[in-house]
Amino acid sequence: MFRNFTFACLVLLLGGGSVHAATVQYLPGPPPDPHHAHTRFGDADTSSGMLSIAGQQTLPRAAGNGSLFVEKIGQVGDTDFLLLTSTGNALCPASYSIVRVDSSGIAIPTAFFGNCNDHHEVQIVHGQDIAVIQPEFTSSEADTPRTITVYSNSTRRLAENGTPPARGMPQ
């Protein structure tokens, strides 16, 4: 079911169709701090290179490769969602993780995913699923195609271009 839903969303997104998506927009004012984000259940902090919510590290641990950045990307019911960006090096500048933070303060990150491109767009699909869209990435070592990774709020799983992530990473 999720795979068919995700494939339909990907076809619509790639074909220019509408899936009732909304992009993340920032309010006027100072730029957001890339190491801090506010959730309804405590502040998210990545300044140490690891994610903590209200001073408590996440389990499983979410650690960055070089640096770790955090931004709040949405909320559904009593759950807030964060996007972590782990910066790497010139060969793979970035990978991403989506984190669920619920009213108990428990934060559960996905495995890191992506095609190494540090440029991305986040869309909320049908008001509950999260799509992270990365354009094609080219480096001196590799070329990776455009990647759309969808996090299903109902199944709590990732799908990359319609299938589970290819790198064998746990979800």
Side-chain angles (χ1 to χ4, degrees), residues 66-150:
S67 292
L68 189 63
F69 302 120
V70 62
E71 66 180 295
K72 182 175 175 182
I73 55 175
Q75 61 191 54
V76 176
D78 69 345
T79 304
D80 286 4
F81 291 94
L82 304 171
L83 180 69
L84 297 179
T85 303
S86 174
T87 61
N89 54 41
L91 298 178
C92 188
S95 59
Y96 302 91
S97 173
I98 295 172
V99 181
R100 294 175 51 90
V101 184
D102 66 23
S103 58
S104 68
I106 295 174
I108 302 171
T110 66
F112 282 92
F113 61 86
N115 70 356
C116 291
N117 199 328
D118 56 354
H119 297 287
H120 68 280
E121 177 184 342
V122 176
Q123 294 183 352
I124 308 300
V125 183
H126 295 291
Q128 67 177 9
D129 295 336
I130 299 165
V132 179
I133 304 163
Q134 297 172 272
E136 176 183 12
F137 177 71
T138 302
S139 75
S140 61
E141 299 292 317
D143 292 327
T144 56
R146 176 181 178 190
T147 302
I148 300 173
T149 305
V150 177

